[in-house]
Amino acid sequence: MYLHRLQKIKVGERALTVYLPPSYDQGQEAYPVAYVHDGGNLFMDCLNYLEHLYAAYKLSGVILVGVESANRNDEYTPWPAEELIKTWPNFGGKGPAYVQELADVIKPYIDENYRTLPEREHTAVIGGSFGGLISLFALYWRPEVFGNGGLISASFWYEGVLAYVQEHPLPSTVRVFMSIGKNEGIYKQNIQKNMVPYTMKAHQWFQSALPDGELLLAVDPEGTHDPLFMARQFPEALSWLFERRGRKVHETDHGEGENKPHQIQGTFSFLRNSERTGRQYRISVAEPMAPPPEEGYPVLYMLDANASFGTFAEAVRLQTRRPRGHEPAIIVGIGYDSPDAMVTPDRFIDYTEPADQDKMPVRPDGSSWPENGGAEEFLHFISEQLKPEIERMYSIHRKRQSLLGHSLGGFFALYAMMTRTELFQQYIAASPSIWWNDQALYGHLDRWLASRQASHEPLEPVGCMICVGSEEKENMLDGARAMAKVLSEHQEHVDVHYFEVEGEGHVSLLPAIVSPILRYVSGHRKP
């Protein structure tokens, strides 16, 4: 039991709760320390789980110090502000004095009376809500003391905070864990409704200030602003802040600290269900490392995120680095909650229009074609749910949005171009399945061209890239070449760019075209 390792003490008038890791009594080793606001509620609410992580060798030892406050609305706010409820007292703005006490009184006492690693890189300050806010300002005001910050559902909505963050880059020496629930603030009518968008904006600015690998954003797609969801984030924050500072793994860790899944910096994912069909999608987002250009970020929406999102996310991080990189862009991957790279049954449903079975070729194994024909519903999900959500989260360049699909996804990209042209400005079809449904795309093309020619308004040509590998099957090559040729005859309506990649097949084409696609998305029409 951990009760003997849970101590209640006082430093001056300040009450503290100290939790010592299981290995503390087993030797003379020194430990990092995390100072946790609100009396340590974040760790007290999940102590049994922390004990489990220690027993399973999934967490290295950390001393946790819960720091109580008699008035969090005063002590956890950086400056005075009016209360959101008129009958309540105003926010006191006594955060500077609280942080000074934490750094100059409480921390020295803990370092003197416990076996700690006192250096800033081994010292964290963590909190939820207003506790997350004051943790942020501890990093601003005393970075020589606090090298790590856990900003769990931090109150970035507080008056003046976002402007402060924009104008004051974080010290480049700190390490920051952020978390937010996608449902935080959505039912508020006051300034708290900005919980999610302000957190996302702050994260973008932090990315510009901090070195690669020193910032992590965790997004809970179902999270609300509650102790339940904040406590869930605490173990991840604790582990991430202390496991990757070059610190030696404790002997009791059995090497677990070095056996972490690879994570691409600046990416996160969440689940979304279509409101019309109930079908579920895993959405993955790669955020830019730089602030948005004046007109907003270009965006690439890509299908088959299970297979290729990581490749594109890593590439865009490298190729948009300043001073000579491309313009920063957002990658939005649309995939499925599955470990498979190609989730075949779902792809057939979402990427195709209904097929006439009599016009379809015989499958190699003689089996019938899978359920198909959900392209219209999938387009509704993208247009009515996904794109508006991304546009609420980020500053988006409304005239620089692209859709990428491969194989059946390439069919879908061309289908979307011909039936819902206004959704994107550029459509990228890699190895498109022109053969689907007896080449029904040509019927859509005829109707699309006729509609544009009948328009009384001048229309900008739509950007279209078609690419294919030289080693693909003849019907794939012939289909891509023929479609590109027909489109090229209508340059007043479609600005088409076609190319073949020498030596690449149907699957190997994808990594070979990452750079041409990123150049295309960033504004260079010719790949």
Side-chain angles (χ1 to χ4, degrees):
M1 288 292 292
Y2 52 75
L3 292 181
H4 72 286
R5 292 184 278 105
L6 197 62
Q7 304 175 2
K8 300 284 188 177
I9 64 173
K10 264 196 169 185
V11 177
E13 295 302 313
R14 185 74 65 174
L16 307 178
T17 299
V18 180
Y19 168 73
L20 303 174
S23 57
Y24 190 86
D25 295 333
Q26 300 172 8
Q28 295 301 310
E29 185 176 12
Y31 293 84
V33 182
Y35 294 88
V36 187
H37 310 297
D38 287 307
N41 286 344
L42 282 174
F43 66 79
M44 292 298 291
D45 289 343
C46 61
L47 267 185
N48 286 333
Y49 184 60
L50 292 178
E51 289 282 309
H52 161 71
L53 293 178
Y54 281 128
Y57 306 112
K58 293 182 178 179
L59 185 66
S60 296
V62 180
I63 296 172
L64 303 179
V65 180
V67 185
E68 294 190 10
S69 173
N71 191 332
R72 65 196 309 276
N73 283 7
D74 282 353
E75 291 195 314
Y76 296 171
T77 50
W79 44 74
E82 290 188 6
E83 242 296 355
L84 303 182
I85 300 174
K86 296 303 182 184
T87 57
W88 290 13
N90 289 334
F91 298 115
K94 297 180 180 178
Y98 171 73
V99 170
Q100 181 177 350
E101 179 187 351
L102 199 62
D104 298 335
V105 178
I106 296 173
K107 183 181 184 302
Y109 178 90
I110 296 297
D111 289 339
E112 182 177 348
N113 290 275
Y114 296 89
R115 299 196 310 274
T116 70
L117 296 169
E119 297 83 6
R120 54 171 303 283
E121 62 266 27
H122 302 302
T123 306
V125 57
I126 304 176
S129 193
F130 268 174
L133 181 63
I134 200 60
S135 295
L136 168 66
F137 280 91
L139 301 181
Y140 272 119
W141 296 332
R142 301 300 298 270
E144 81 284 2
V145 176
F146 304 108
N148 304 273
L151 318 183
I152 298 175
S153 297
S155 301
F156 284 100
W157 58 264
Y158 191 78
E159 191 68 42
V161 166
L162 200 66
Y164 185 96
V165 168
Q166 185 177 13
E167 295 169 7
H168 298 81
L170 266 178
S172 61
T173 55
V174 302
R175 180 175 181 78
V176 178
F177 174 93
M178 303 173 68
S179 69
I180 188 70
K182 290 303 295 291
N183 295 318
E184 295 194 44
I186 63 172
Y187 302 113
K188 296 288 187 179
Q189 301 301 316
N190 56 30
I191 194 173
Q192 291 173 306
K193 66 185 179 182
N194 295 312
M195 274 291 297
V196 175
Y198 280 15
T199 298
M200 295 302 182
K201 286 183 180 295
H203 179 253
Q204 292 172 29
W205 291 324
F206 292 163
Q207 281 187 307
S208 301
L210 301 182
D212 288 355
E214 298 303 296
L215 174 67
L216 178 65
L217 171 64
V219 178
D220 187 331
E222 299 300 322
T224 53
H225 197 74
D226 295 302
L228 168 67
F229 290 98
M230 296 184 204
R232 286 180 179 179
Q233 297 291 348
F234 182 80
E236 182 180 356
L238 195 66
S239 176
W240 188 81
L241 288 171
F242 287 117
E243 293 291 346
R244 297 167 58 192
R245 279 283 194 175
R247 175 171 160 246
K248 291 182 179 179
V249 180
H250 293 171
E251 289 182 6
T252 55
D253 288 341
H254 292 254
E256 290 287 337
E258 297 178 352
N259 188 23
K260 296 284 185 181
H262 174 69
Q263 181 167 353
I264 301 172
Q265 176 72 11
T267 65
F268 65 95
S269 70
F270 53 91
L271 295 175
R272 281 294 176 269
N273 287 71
S274 167
E275 294 173 355
R276 294 167 61 108
T277 67
R279 290 179 55 72
Q280 187 178 76
Y281 304 95
R282 177 162 291 283
I283 308 302
S284 301
V285 180
E287 296 183 320
M289 298 173 62
E294 184 175 347
E295 293 183 298
Y297 293 115
V299 187
L300 172 64
Y301 290 83
M302 57 176 295
L303 309 182
D304 287 318
N306 296 57
S308 303
F309 173 77
T311 302
F312 277 82
E314 291 279 25
V316 79
R317 283 185 66 233
L318 289 173
Q319 296 187 25
T320 58
R321 289 178 65 87
R322 293 307 190 194
R324 296 195 176 103
H326 301 319
E327 190 172 285
I330 294 172
I331 307 293
V332 179
I334 310 173
Y336 304 96
D337 196 25
S338 167
D340 297 335
M342 289 292 179
V343 190
T344 301
D346 293 286
R347 298 177 77 250
F348 269 101
I349 294 173
D350 289 325
Y351 299 171
T352 64
E353 65 174 349
D356 185 339
Q357 293 285 340
D358 294 335
K359 296 181 180 179
M360 294 288 285
V362 177
R363 301 188 77 187
D365 61 359
S367 62
S368 59
W369 287 93
E371 180 184 355
N372 58 75
E376 275 301 310
E377 293 293 350
F378 188 43
L379 275 171
H380 281 300
F381 168 75
I382 293 172
S383 63
E384 296 174 2
Q385 290 183 239
L386 181 59
K387 284 184 84 254
E389 181 167 2
I390 296 299
E391 289 161 8
R392 286 193 299 269
M393 292 167 60
Y394 302 99
S395 173
I396 299 299
H397 195 320
R398 299 305 177 93
K399 295 184 178 180
R400 295 269 297 282
Q401 301 187 75
S402 306
L403 175 67
L404 163 65
H406 169 255
S407 194
L408 284 176
F411 171 92
F412 179 84
L414 295 174
Y415 176 86
M417 181 183 77
M418 298 171 190
T419 62
R420 302 286 288 275
T421 313
E422 74 285 353
L423 281 182
F424 302 95
Q425 290 70 53
Q426 299 182 136
Y427 294 84
I428 305 166
S431 304
S433 299
I434 306 296
W435 55 268
W436 180 261
N437 198 26
D438 197 23
Q439 303 191 60
L441 276 176
Y442 283 104
H444 294 295
L445 175 60
D446 290 341
R447 290 186 288 274
W448 179 59
L449 291 173
S451 173
R452 290 179 70 87
Q453 289 162 359
S455 174
H456 299 295
E457 300 290 334
L459 299 173
E460 288 287 328
V462 179
C464 179
M465 174 193 286
I466 298 177
C467 50
V468 68
S470 67
E471 301 303 309
E472 298 201 41
K473 294 178 180 179
E474 282 301 317
N475 70 321
M476 295 298 295
L477 280 162
D478 292 344
R481 289 166 180 166
M483 179 59 74
K485 182 177 184 299
V486 172
L487 291 175
S488 68
E489 295 169 357
H490 301 277
Q491 289 285 345
E492 70 275 20
H493 298 298
V494 55
D495 182 13
V496 64
H497 299 284
Y498 173 79
F499 65 100
E500 297 178 12
V501 182
E502 189 65 32
E504 302 299 345
H506 191 63
V507 175
S508 66
L509 173 72
L510 280 170
I513 60 175
V514 171
S515 293
I517 287 174
L518 292 181
R519 287 195 295 272
Y520 191 62
V521 168
S522 67
H524 304 283
R525 272 288 174 95
K526 290 187 177 182

